[in-house]
Amino acid sequence: MPYIPHTPQEIREMLGVIGARDVSDLFAEIPQTLRPKTFNLPRGATEMAVRAAMEGLAAKNRTDMTSFLGGGFYDHFVPAASDYLLARGEFATAYTPYQPEASQGTLQAIFEYQTAVSRLFGMECANAGVYDGGTALYEALMMAVRHTRRKKAVVSQAVSPIYRIVLSTYTRNLGLELVTVPHKDGCDDMDALAGAIDDKTAAVVVQNPNFLGAVQDFTALFAAAAAKGALSILSGYPVLQTVLKTPGAMGADIATAEGQSLGLPLSFGGPYLGIMTCRKPLVRQMPGRIAGRTVDGAGRTGYVLTLQAREQHIRREKATSNICSNQALCALRALINVCLTGEEGLARQAALSIENAHYAAMKLAAVPGVRLLNDAPFGNEFAAVFPVKAKLVARKLMDEDIIPGFPLGRYYKGLENALLVCCTEKHERAEIDRLARRLGKLL
C-alpha cells in the first residue's frame, strides 16, 4: 500500500468539504462492535517497526495450505508480465473514459477485451462494466425481462447458490417470479426445466459446468425455450470455454461469467469482473460500458463508448442498469492474460485442470467409503460423497494444512456429506495423492 501523507490542515479541509467532523465520522455506518479497537501500535513508531508489526499480523493468516477450493473462483497461473503491463503509463487515463479524445488507450483496450470474450463464448457482443459473475447474471435476467416484457424466470438449482441469492435479492421488489427447478443427482433436470417454461417466461437460467461440477449440453433446452418465446441465459467458466461447447454454439441468447479466472488474483471479495455477452439483436438491452470502433473525419481509426443507456446519460428510471460500474482495469487485466496465454495456452490450462480433477476423482473414489455424486461428465470440479458430513472432513483436513474443497450441505439440503473438489493446472499429483492418503486415514 502506498504511503500518502496529509497534513492535519489538509485532513480538516477534506472533512469540511463533505461535512464530517472528524475521521471517525467516515466510519459511522460501521457498528462500534465491528470496528477494530486498536492495532497496538505505539505512537511515533518507526516505519520499520510498523512494517514488522503489520507483517506479524498478516503472518497469522494461513497462506501455505494446499487448497482444492473452487465454487466459482479459481487459482490459475498468472504470468509475471501481467502486473508490469497493467502498470504501464499508456493505460493510465481518466477514471471514466467518456472523453474519447483523452482516453483512446483505455477505449481500445475495452474494445479488444470485448472482442476476446465474445470469441471465447462464441457470442456476438460484450460489455465491460459489470461487477462480478452474480451481478452479470442479474443484469442478463433483466435484459430478458425488458426484451420479452415478461416477468417469470426459470432458474436451475444447479446454478451457483450465491448467484441465485443475488437474483432473489435484486428482484425482491420488482414483481418477478423466480421458479427454481431442483437438480437431479447433481445434474440439471432438463425435462423439468423445459416443462417449467411457459408463455410468461422471460428466460431460463443455467450454468455450465454447473455448481456441482457437471458438464451438460443445453442446446435442446435452449431450442425449447425459444419455441415459447423465452430467452436462454448461460453462466459459464471462462477458462473451460476453450474446450467446451460454447454458449453461442448451444444457442444461448445471453452468456455471463465471473472473469476472475482470467488472470485476476484470488482475494477476499474482489475486485472481480463480470463478463457479459449476448447476441447482436439484444445489444441495446445490454447495460454498462460498450466501446465501439469507428473512423474520424480524416479516416483514422478511433474508439468511443457507445449504446450507453446509463443513469449518467438519461433519467435514472430509464437506465438499463443502476448497479454497473467501471471495471476497465479488471477487464484490461483479463485481456492481458488472454493475450499472454493465447488460445493454445488457455486450452492447455483447461486441459491440465481437467486432467488433474479426473486424477483426483479417481484417487478419491478409490478411498473406502467415498463415491462420486454421479457419473456425469465434469470439468475441473466434481462432487465426492463421504460416509460422514463433509464439513467435518474439511475441518479435520484443514488441521493438516489441506483445504479439501467446499462442503455442499451449506446450500444443498441432502448433500451434507458431499464435498465439491476443484483442481487447476497448478496442482501437483503429489498434492492430490496426499489428499487421498490423508482422507483414507481420516475415514
Side-chain angles (χ1 to χ4, degrees):
M1 180 179 290
Y3 175 61
I4 304 174
H6 294 110
T7 67
Q9 177 60 28
E10 289 172 333
I11 293 173
R12 281 194 296 272
E13 290 176 0
M14 287 190 287
L15 292 172
V17 169
I18 61 174
R21 291 170 302 177
D22 51 37
V23 174
S24 64
D25 276 2
L26 301 178
F27 305 100
E29 296 299 320
I30 302 175
Q32 286 285 352
T33 54
L34 298 180
R35 300 185 202 178
K37 302 295 183 296
T38 174
F39 291 107
N40 295 319
L41 289 173
R43 296 182 65 84
T46 64
E47 178 182 348
M48 192 165 59
V50 172
R51 182 183 293 271
M54 300 307 290
E55 288 175 348
L57 289 174
K60 292 184 178 181
N61 290 320
R62 300 174 65 185
T63 58
D64 57 348
M65 303 175 76
T66 301
S67 175
F68 294 89
L69 201 58
F73 304 97
Y74 304 96
D75 186 22
H76 285 293
F77 176 75
V78 180
S82 293
D83 287 336
Y84 172 75
L85 292 172
L86 191 70
R88 285 187 64 92
E90 292 92 329
F91 295 120
T93 183
Y95 168 65
T96 51
Y98 296 134
Q99 300 79 28
E101 66 276 10
S103 307
Q104 283 298 294
T106 288
L107 288 165
Q108 181 176 349
I110 292 176
F111 181 83
E112 293 184 3
Y113 160 80
Q114 293 169 185
T115 304
V117 296
S118 293
R119 291 178 178 174
L120 194 59
F121 284 80
M123 303 295 282
E124 296 173 307
C125 307
N127 71 6
V130 192
Y131 288 117
D132 54 22
T135 48
L137 195 59
Y138 161 75
E139 294 286 14
L141 176 57
M142 295 312 297
M143 285 176 64
V145 168
R146 290 191 296 270
H147 180 77
T148 62
R149 298 181 184 277
R150 299 175 178 180
K151 289 203 165 188
K152 174 183 171 182
V154 175
V155 184
S156 171
Q157 193 189 24
V159 169
S160 165
I162 299 169
Y163 292 0
R164 287 188 281 116
I165 290 172
V166 172
L167 292 181
S168 62
T169 300
Y170 276 117
T171 60
R172 183 168 300 162
N173 299 311
L174 299 181
L176 301 185
E177 180 188 4
L178 298 182
V179 177
T180 301
V181 175
H183 69 87
K184 190 175 182 181
D185 297 327
C187 296
D188 292 80
D189 190 334
M190 298 292 187
D191 292 336
L193 285 165
I197 301 171
D198 56 26
D199 58 5
K200 297 179 181 178
T201 304
V204 59
V205 182
V206 295
Q207 182 174 331
N208 192 47
N210 69 29
F211 190 78
L212 301 141
V215 173
Q216 291 174 272
D217 187 344
F218 294 96
T219 304
L221 175 66
F222 292 171
K228 294 185 178 179
L231 298 188
S232 300
I233 301 172
L234 187 149
S235 176
Y237 175 8
V239 171
L240 292 197
Q241 293 307 312
T242 54
V243 295
L244 298 180
K245 187 176 182 179
T246 65
M250 291 186 199
D253 296 293
I254 307 170
T256 64
E258 169 53 61
Q260 176 274 324
S261 60
L262 294 178
L264 275 68
L266 289 169
S267 60
F268 295 102
Y272 288 148
L273 171 66
I275 290 177
M276 192 167 196
T277 64
C278 70
R279 293 190 299 107
K280 193 172 182 179
L282 297 169
V283 69
R284 289 187 176 277
Q285 295 295 340
M286 181 174 273
R289 290 173 171 80
I290 303 173
R293 182 170 64 188
T294 184
V295 293
D296 65 9
R300 296 170 298 191
T301 298
Y303 300 87
V304 64
L305 290 181
T306 185
L307 301 176
Q308 298 177 86
R310 304 183 69 236
E311 66 273 23
Q312 289 97 331
H313 307 99
I314 60 178
R315 287 184 304 180
R316 178 174 293 270
E317 65 271 21
K318 295 289 186 183
T320 52
S321 172
N322 288 300
I323 63 169
C324 58
S325 184
N326 185 4
Q327 296 294 97
L329 188 66
C330 295
L332 174 60
R333 189 178 182 99
L335 174 63
I336 289 172
N337 181 74
V338 168
C339 293
L340 289 173
T341 308
E343 184 177 351
E344 290 186 9
L346 281 175
R348 184 62 183 152
Q349 199 173 36
L352 285 170
S353 302
I354 294 171
E355 287 174 14
N356 283 336
H358 281 71
Y359 178 74
M362 182 266 293
K363 295 290 289 187
L364 265 59
V367 175
V370 180
R371 63 176 175 84
L372 302 188
L373 179 62
N374 55 48
D375 58 359
F378 61 91
N380 70 324
E381 285 180 289
F382 62 92
V385 183
F386 305 133
V388 297
K389 291 189 182 302
K391 65 179 182 181
L392 298 179
V393 173
R395 193 172 299 154
K396 290 283 187 183
L397 290 180
M398 286 177 67
D399 292 337
E400 301 185 37
D401 294 332
I402 299 174
I403 304 175
F406 182 82
L408 289 167
R410 179 174 178 180
Y411 292 113
Y412 290 94
K413 188 176 181 181
L415 294 183
E416 287 76 11
N417 289 12
L419 188 78
L420 185 67
V421 183
C422 167
C423 290
T424 71
E425 75 282 1
K426 294 178 70 174
H427 284 96
E428 301 285 345
R429 290 290 173 94
E431 295 175 323
I432 297 171
D433 291 342
R434 181 168 174 253
L435 169 65
R437 195 164 53 245
R438 302 311 301 170
L439 188 62
K441 289 187 177 180
L442 181 64
L443 297 179

